[in-house]
Structures are given as structure tokens and as C-alpha cells.
Amino acid sequence: MNGALAPAPSAYLSVVEAGARRYLEHLRALAGRSSRAPRELALREVARPLARLLENVLRTRRLTPAEVRIPEAPLIRAEGHPELLNPWAVGLGNPLAPFLVLGPEPEYALDRFEFLLEGLLLQALWLTNADVHVVAGVLERPAWSELPFQRYPNDLYLAPSRSTWGRVAALIARAWGGDGRDLLRPKLTESNTAPHLFDDAYLLDLSTVPAAWRSITAAPASEREAFLGELLPALPETRLLFIHGRQEDSEWSTMRTRLAARFLGLPLQDVTDCLQTERPTRTWDELHWFLHGDRGVLFSVSLHHEVDEGYWERAVEIIRMLMPERPRGPAARSPD
């Protein structure tokens, strides 16, 4: 069903597998706790089947809907438990896309199916190249598409134009032509060759702590930064790394710059010293960018931050400067 889609790069899958193994060890530790407190019992009811699932995926590279039916009630009772978070979570979209978007954090609540799919199961979906029927089985609903959720999540979510995905689509459309709303239309079938957001881009989160838990993101997680530092070089077609977020968070800003240096393959000091900076409007919000060879990085405020329209107009100009040609979409060649 998915055979004509360009396969995920082998280097990318290797990093996903390494992260899945780390998360498996984490889940095993949670499952081995001895406390009888109700919250701990609920946590173990989630951790144990997840650990079994990952063990099987790593051993067989297969996944069936029956294996991923994590009991909903324990997941809700364990809601708000930070130990369930997966610092080695990956992203959604096309890992061969030249446009990589690194956002601040996910928006889902921890008792919603988005957390189950994106925070807990996404590694397994990537490693097994799971088709949409696996995710449909998790949600106990008919399949809505012919295409894998991890590549085309918008076929399920139908993100509005005001969402982060919608704003990314608007930037792409303004940079290379078209209508951002068209990029958000469901793809549904492999024969649909219309431009699509998730052919053009791969979307990833800097933190795996949901926005609702912002109070516990004061210090960046070292294991998350280390994993992202491994993942960025494993996306071989990426030409533009677009990093958006709250620039007033100084610790996170430093982490973003370190990741940019890793992506560009340059010493941190070179990137720090040579970032191009400008304030394109009368606001105090700045744009920062760096171009090195055929790769570029652009730092902006959060896509949901209120700024003058001229700010995003200039951001689009810089995007075109850093990556003059439109992303190539689904015809990307196999990296192997």
C-alpha cells in the first residue's frame, strides 16, 4: 500500500531505534516499581503493555492493532504523571523533506489519544512502517486513509489554519506560491499528487513536555537535547532548519543554538558569533539566521506570537534566501 512512498532514511530509522531502546529501558523501570498507590498502579498498567509492545517491535519489526490497545482508563488515571513522557520521541511528516520545523512543545493533553499516538507509540509506527489500519485499530474506528499516520497525520487531525501546522503551511505557501489551505487538505491516497504540507516538511518538538505543563520546562532535558543532536544529522535531505519558540527563555535559546550548530556541522562559537540578526518591524522581536554551504537555520518567535505582519513577511524572504527552491515533495529520492 505504501510501497511507492520514498522509504525513511536508514540513518533516521537507526536513531529512532536507539531512542526506542532507551524508552524501553525507561518503561521497564516504571513497570518494576513496587508501590501500591493508585497512581503508581495506573502507571504500571500503561508501562507494562507499552514495554511489551516495544520489545516485540524491536524483535520482529511488526505491529498489529491488537498489540497497541493500551487500556484507556489507566492512561487517564496516570494523566499528569511526568514519568510517562518520552524524551526520545520523534516527529511527523516526511523525513526526506528539505524543510525541518522545530517547535517548542506538543499541544496535546496527556489523557488524549494524541499523546498515545505521538508521545508513546510513534517510534513503533516508524520502525514498522505501520499502515493506517494500525492507528485506526488503536482508535477503534474505520481507516480514514490509505496512507500511514506518521507520514500524513493531517489526514486524521484535519488541522485548522490557525494551528501550528496551518501556520507552517502558510509560510510555505507564501515562500513558494500556492494557498496554505490547500497544503492542509487531506491527502488520503498515494495517487494524490497535489502539494501537501507533510510532503514538504518534517515537524519535530524541542521538548516532549506538553504546553499545559510549561511550569516543568524551566530547565531543558539533557537527554532530549542529546537525542535531537543525533536525529538532526540523520535527516540527510534537510536544507532549512526553522526553529520557532519563545525567545525570552534564555536556557532554551542556548539549547536551540547548540542544535543549530550540530545541524550545520559547525563549532558552537562560530554560529554564536556569526548569527545574522535583524528586527524587521518596530516590535522588539528579532529574526536570527545563519547560512553555511547548502544548509541554513532561521530562528523566529513562536508561530502563535503576536507580531507585526512585516515580521512574517521578512521571515518568508529569509526562508527563500536560505532555500531558494520549493521543497521537492513526495518524489524525493531514496537515500540508500
Side-chain angles (χ1 to χ4, degrees):
M1 186 187 310
N2 305 332
L5 289 176
S10 58
Y12 170 75
L13 293 177
S14 294
V15 175
V16 176
E17 178 179 348
R21 292 188 183 280
R22 293 172 197 161
Y23 190 45
L24 173 58
E25 292 306 311
H26 178 71
L27 291 170
R28 285 171 172 164
L30 293 181
R33 289 182 176 181
S34 58
S35 170
R36 303 295 297 173
R39 235 170 174 310
E40 289 286 311
L41 292 173
L43 189 64
R44 289 202 292 275
E45 283 185 82
V46 177
R48 285 172 177 165
L50 273 175
R52 288 194 297 269
L53 180 150
L54 275 181
E55 287 169 351
N56 183 62
V57 163
L58 291 167
R59 185 177 64 253
T60 68
R61 289 296 192 276
R62 294 172 57 191
L63 191 62
T64 66
E67 292 174 295
V68 293
R69 286 181 182 160
I70 309 301
E72 182 179 10
L75 185 66
I76 293 173
R77 290 200 300 274
E79 191 271 332
H81 211 308
E83 282 102 322
L84 269 180
L85 295 173
N86 180 2
W88 306 281
V90 289
L92 296 161
N94 182 3
L96 284 167
F99 192 37
L100 170 59
V101 179
L102 184 59
E105 69 266 308
E107 297 291 333
Y108 48 66
L110 274 77
D111 61 348
R112 296 290 306 279
F113 71 87
E114 292 97 328
F115 173 54
L116 179 61
L117 294 181
E118 297 180 44
L120 306 183
L121 297 177
L122 197 53
Q123 293 160 317
L125 298 179
W126 276 115
L127 289 173
T128 58
N129 193 31
D131 68 35
V132 72
H133 292 88
V134 173
V135 177
V138 175
L139 304 179
E140 298 183 342
R141 56 172 287 181
W144 56 88
S145 166
E146 295 178 359
L147 297 167
F149 165 82
Q150 61 274 20
R151 274 293 308 270
Y152 298 100
N154 195 52
D155 285 1
L156 169 63
Y157 289 149
L158 302 179
S161 58
R162 295 183 306 277
S163 67
T164 296
W165 295 354
R167 292 171 191 263
V168 172
L171 284 178
I172 290 175
R174 288 171 69 170
W176 296 289
D179 188 327
R181 292 169 297 183
D182 290 339
L183 291 174
L184 291 172
R185 296 188 192 282
K187 191 174 182 75
L188 301 178
T189 68
E190 200 170 302
S191 60
N192 180 359
T193 59
H196 192 279
L197 170 63
F198 287 104
D199 287 326
D200 288 349
Y202 180 83
L203 277 64
L204 187 63
D205 291 315
L206 188 70
S207 170
T208 57
V209 180
W213 283 14
R214 193 161 288 167
S215 60
I216 68 171
T217 66
S222 58
E223 64 268 25
R224 181 61 177 168
E225 180 176 350
F227 178 70
L228 291 176
E230 297 168 3
L231 186 63
L232 293 179
L235 299 167
E237 300 292 328
T238 302
R239 294 294 172 263
L240 173 59
L241 173 59
F242 175 68
I243 305 178
H244 68 100
R246 298 179 304 278
Q247 296 185 2
E248 66 272 17
D249 296 344
S250 57
E251 289 184 272
W252 288 99
S253 178
T254 303
M255 177 180 170
R256 292 184 186 104
T257 307
R258 288 195 297 264
L259 289 171
R262 174 75 169 147
F263 169 73
L264 295 168
L266 291 174
L268 174 62
Q269 199 61 47
D270 287 3
V271 177
T272 303
D273 291 344
C274 300
L275 274 177
Q276 302 295 310
T277 301
E278 69 177 71
R279 188 176 302 125
T281 65
R282 300 180 68 178
T283 71
W284 288 96
D285 298 303
E286 296 178 329
L287 289 161
H288 308 268
W289 73 94
F290 193 104
L291 180 62
H292 176 65
D294 62 353
R295 283 191 158 188
V297 177
L298 172 62
F299 300 85
S300 83
V301 299
S302 168
L303 289 170
H304 297 278
H305 193 71
E306 293 298 326
V307 293
D308 296 339
E309 179 61 19
Y311 182 91
W312 294 118
E313 290 177 358
R314 179 56 178 150
V316 167
E317 291 175 359
I318 295 171
I319 288 172
R320 283 198 297 259
M321 177 187 72
L322 298 177
M323 192 167 69
E325 296 181 0
R326 185 184 180 88
R328 289 177 297 158
R333 65 175 176 82
S334 167
D336 298 318

